[in-house]
Structure formats: C-alpha cells, structure tokens
Amino acid sequence: MTNHSEATGSSENGDAPGPVRPGRTARTGYDGPGDEHQVTLRTPAELADALPYLLGYRPEDSIVLAALRDRDGRGRFGGRARLGIPANADDWTGAAGQLVHGLVTGSERRGVRPEQMVAYLCQEPARGETGREVMERLRPLAQKLRVECGALDVPVVEALCISAGRFWSYCCDEEACCPAEGIPMGTPGTSVLAAAATYAGIQVRGSLSELRARLLPRENAAALEQEAALDAAAVTVVSRILDDAGRSEVAEETLDLARRVMRRLTDALPVSGVPAEDLRDDQLLGHDEAAALILGLQDRTTRDRAAEWMEGDEAGPALRLWRALARRCVRSYGEHAAAPLTLAGWVAWSAGDELEAREALAMALGADPDYLFARLLHQACNEGLDPESVRRCLRAERGGRGGGDDASGGGEQADGPAHRRPAEPSSASQAPPGRRRRTRSVVPADGARRRARAQGREPGGRIGRPRTPAGGERPGGARTARTRSHVSGGEATGRKETCVEGASAGEHATEGGEGRA
C-alpha cells in the first residue's frame, strides 16, 4: 500500500445539529478559534468547500475523514485524518481500515469518541478520464470506508468525491440536489466560510504537493552535480566517522559549517513567494557544503546538537537550512534525507506549525521507516503532545556544554565524554521483528557503488558497514519496500509532555512518544 502521508487535527472547530442529510436539512457548522466565528454549513457544497480549512491545505490524491461529535444537540468537527489513495484497489480495504481505526481509537484515547463521520475522496482524473469516471472508480473505496466506520458504530453521514473542480455525494442519489454530472466547486476563497476563516486567522497553505515540493529532492541538471559531490565527500567523511577521533572532528566541522550557512541565510535579501525563497536558499548553499552537512548529520550526536536550534532567532534559518538539505538528498542518497527532514519537522513543530511538521516527519519515515527520532516525533506530534518538554531537554543539553552552540557565531565546545549520550539503539532493537535495517549509499575510492550508513556514533556505538558487493547485488535478496503510517485523530483533552529519543542524556522516552520519569 502506498501511503503518501497523513495529517491529523484535534481542534474542535465545527458544529452540525443532527445527522447531515445532503441537499435537505443538512446543517454542519464550522467554528473558528475560540468559537467566536461560527459558520453553519447546510449543503454538501459547503462541506466540500470546508475541506481545505479543516486540514489547512488542499488535499490531493487523498482519503480524508473528519469526525463529528454531539455537543448541545449540535455536531462539532473533531479529529481529522488523511491517507494517500493506494494505486492498487486491492489495498483499499486495508487503507480504509487503517484510517478509520486510527481516527476512532485515537479519539477514544482522548475520551471523546466520534459519533458520526464525514468522508472525502480527492483525486484528479488521469489522462483521458473524466471527473465522473473518477467518482465511479472510487465508489468501492467510499463503500469500504462506510463499512469500516459502521463496524465501529460510527455512521458516515456524508461521503464526497472531489475531482476536476466538481464534487459528487455518495450518500445522495437525488438528481435535484446531486446531479449525475456533479456540482462545480466554488471559486476558492469566495465563500462565506472562506471569509470567516480569514477573519479568524485560519490560512490555507496551498496544495499538499506545493507543501511537499519544499522538501522533495530536486530532479534537474544540478542533481547530478550534487550526487557527485556527495559521492566525493562520502569517501572521506564516512571513514572519519568510523574513527572515534575523526567522528568528533566531523561533528565540529558539520556544526560550524551549519552555523555559517545559517548566518548566510539570515543575511540574504528577502524575495517574494515561496518558490523564489527556496530558490534563493538553494543558490546560497554550495554542492560541497550540502554534501558535507548531509553526511555529517547522519551522526546521531551531531543531529541532536543541531536540533537545539529550534527557537528564537535560530529557528527560522535552521528550518530553511534543513529544507534546503532535504532538497539536496538526490537520487541514490534519498535515504539520507531522513535526518534533515526530521530536523525540519522538529523545528516546525517547535514553532507551532504542526502541518509542516507532520508532513516533514512523514516524509522522513518514507525515506527511512526505521528512523527512530522521526518515529517518536511523528507520534508525539500526532498525539497532540507538548514540544516544550523536548525543548527543555535540548536546552539542558546545550547548557551542559556551557551554551557553546550558538548559530549566531558563538564559541563551540567539543563534546567531552561527560556530555556524550548512550549509543542509539541498534537497528535490531529499532526495527520491527523480521525487518532488516537499510544502509545508505556511498561511493568508495574504487568507484563501485556500495551501501553504508553512519548510525550510533557515540562511544560504544557503531556504523553500518557496506554490505552491497561491487556487482550491485544485495546479500539475502531484495528488501521489500514499505512505508509506515501513524494516523491519529480526535480531540485532545489536555496537552501532554514528552521527551523523545535523542533529546536528553536520560533517554527517557518510550516508543509511544510519552515521557516517563
């Protein structure tokens, strides 16, 4: 099953009195923050228009579930969950069960069980296909969602397909309100809901593909140059990381270079528009610099120290740097993106941007499903935990070194034995039973492509040795490609605190993301 990513939400931002019946007396409300701005949605068209405001972006190729619960006789939107539509229809049953079960059980853990559900299927037509044909093709998936929700005693009161600028209801077959050719979507940003959301400060961040584009590797002519720089740097950097003395030197060089690039980004002239901003940042980062930073961040201790740039004046340039590095993990170095993507997700979460945080962390898990730091942060973010406890852990680590890690150019103290944390758990303890740890791609001096990844560089840690022979065949057969999804939804009854792996000397996080004393 292809699982692109998911975005969940827990804010209580909607009202709907009674069951939603399309085209007749349907009433679904949407409240802005603080319940000060309330809009009543009465038709499937208004429900379709509400979707981007429920998620914060326009979903594409997505299954979206929005939970409803009763409050004073009115339904209120609760948790939301999104999953990519699997390309293979054989995977639809599993995807529907995963999404429904994750949203319902996640809500139950917070003590607010969904009573009804609104389902959305969003997909653009393929070449030669019409929106109506998309709707009919996805009808079995909509039915599977209704069956899975019904099995948990949570009825789907509306199911919509959005495609080619139109929408269709799977719950209504009355031609008067739901014609066979579908109903055109309104112009974005012109509805009453759009006006109320803008007034309430709720923003729609474009489409999901536009959000992901800031983090995806560049597929252009420069990608070959970047790959060559990574190959050249890997020959020396990996061998130095394997040596204890060399590892400390690489860490200091990596952090010093990162601070210099962050100052460069801070001093750059502003430009207008997100694509222009990313292009400017790419032009300020050389191929050799990017290669050195990407490889240096494969060391866990170095990555943890870089994660300390998560607030104040450091957070902005750090996030821009991690995005730029993720875009440089091109071609055979795709797995290396797990480190900068996780750092980008962490900084975004720390800054309050849960949307980018979830997407970056989900992409990190797509690059490396066994990346423990990303798994813990992803679950903690989806569970609605408080990032402040993680920040406190990182501040304590920084303070233990005398506050030397200063992105604005302060002095840097090397990690002494007293400040080094225990080694990251071995790959056998991180991966589920039966799964084999993947290694990263480097090019040794003889030019033969091999796979290696630096992991657990603390004293007593180890680095994964190259396991692929020069011929390119991997011992033990091919590894089945898999991605991991953590779907969670529902209303948070209170903000929990967590301290995840890699954030403190005590390493007191469980895999579930909740800290323990």
Side-chain angles (χ1 to χ4, degrees), residues 50-58 80 202-206 355:
L51 180 58
Y53 301 97
L54 292 176
L55 296 179
Y57 61 90
R58 296 191 303 275
R80 281 84 69 193
I202 299 171
Q203 297 181 346
V204 175
R205 305 260 300 274
L355 174 57

Side-chain angles (χ1 to χ4, degrees), residues 266-340:
T266 301
D267 295 338
L269 295 176
V271 294
S272 177
V274 169
E277 290 175 355
D278 291 342
L279 179 61
R280 173 203 57 197
D281 292 348
D282 288 340
Q283 293 172 342
L284 293 172
L285 181 63
H287 293 312
D288 292 340
E289 292 176 322
L293 289 169
I294 290 168
L295 293 170
L297 288 172
Q298 304 309 305
D299 173 66
R300 172 179 169 271
T301 303
T302 307
R303 178 208 67 198
D304 288 355
R305 290 174 62 182
E308 295 169 4
W309 302 326
M310 77 291 188
E311 58 188 344
D313 294 338
E314 297 171 341
L319 180 56
R320 290 165 59 188
L321 175 58
W322 307 145
R323 288 187 192 127
L325 292 180
R327 296 193 292 266
R328 298 299 186 94
C329 293
V330 298
R331 301 169 66 87
S332 59
Y333 289 87
E335 287 185 2
H336 287 69

Side-chain angles (χ1 to χ4, degrees), residues 370-409:
D370 299 324
Y371 203 71
L372 183 59
F373 195 24
R375 281 164 50 195
L376 293 173
L377 286 173
H378 189 242
Q379 182 166 354
C381 182
N382 276 341
E383 292 289 337
L385 305 183
D386 190 348
E388 175 56 25
S389 59
V390 184
R391 288 193 291 263
R392 283 200 299 267
C393 294
L394 292 172
R395 292 186 199 112
E397 286 289 289
R398 193 171 190 172
R401 292 191 302 273
D405 280 342
D406 185 355
S408 62

Side-chain angles (χ1 to χ4, degrees), residues 15-29 40-44 46-47 73-74 157-158 172 174 177:
D15 283 349
V20 178
R21 303 301 302 168
R24 302 186 188 128
T25 58
R27 311 266 196 294
T28 302
T40 300
L41 308 179
R42 301 177 182 277
T43 66
E46 292 170 334
L47 278 175
R74 298 179 64 83
V157 295
E158 182 55 89
C172 177
E174 294 185 11
C177 61

Side-chain angles (χ1 to χ4, degrees), residues 44-247:
E46 292 170 334
L47 278 175
D49 182 67
L51 180 58
Y53 301 97
L54 292 176
L55 296 179
Y57 61 90
R58 296 191 303 275
E60 302 166 312
D61 195 28
S62 299
I63 312 167
V64 180
L65 290 179
L68 294 172
R69 68 180 183 86
D70 181 75
R71 178 174 171 181
D72 300 327
R74 298 179 64 83
R76 296 176 58 84
F77 281 118
R80 281 84 69 193
R82 192 206 75 89
L83 193 66
I85 298 177
N88 190 338
D90 293 339
D91 294 328
W92 288 357
T93 300
Q98 177 185 5
L99 195 64
V100 172
H101 186 269
L103 182 54
V104 172
T105 57
S107 299
E108 288 177 335
R109 285 197 300 270
R110 293 162 183 79
V112 185
R113 191 178 195 275
E115 298 175 0
Q116 298 172 339
M117 202 78 73
V118 177
Y120 299 85
L121 298 178
C122 307
Q123 191 172 76
E124 289 304 300
R127 183 182 297 273
E129 192 177 29
T130 66
R132 177 175 171 78
E133 289 171 340
V134 172
M135 181 272 293
E136 293 294 351
R137 176 168 52 80
L138 296 179
R139 186 182 291 276
L141 176 55
Q143 181 61 23
K144 293 178 187 298
L145 289 168
R146 297 173 74 177
V147 170
E148 291 290 342
C149 288
L152 296 178
D153 198 25
V154 182
V156 174
V157 295
E158 182 55 89
L160 300 175
C161 177
I162 300 175
S163 180
R166 291 176 173 266
F167 72 89
W168 291 259
S169 171
Y170 290 113
C171 297
C172 177
D173 55 4
E174 294 185 11
E175 184 69 19
C177 61
C178 298
E181 66 274 15
I183 301 175
M185 296 284 294
T187 304
T190 61
S191 66
V192 174
L193 174 60
T198 301
Y199 183 75
I202 299 171
Q203 297 181 346
V204 175
R205 305 260 300 274
S207 67
L208 181 61
S209 61
E210 291 170 345
L211 179 63
R212 291 170 58 86
R214 308 197 73 182
L215 303 168
L216 286 172
R218 297 293 191 233
E219 298 296 337
N220 51 28
L224 292 175
E225 299 177 14
Q226 183 61 69
E227 186 180 34
L230 284 160
D231 288 344
V235 173
T236 56
V237 172
V238 172
S239 61
R240 291 177 66 198
I241 291 178
L242 286 167
D243 177 73
D244 284 342
R247 182 186 68 85

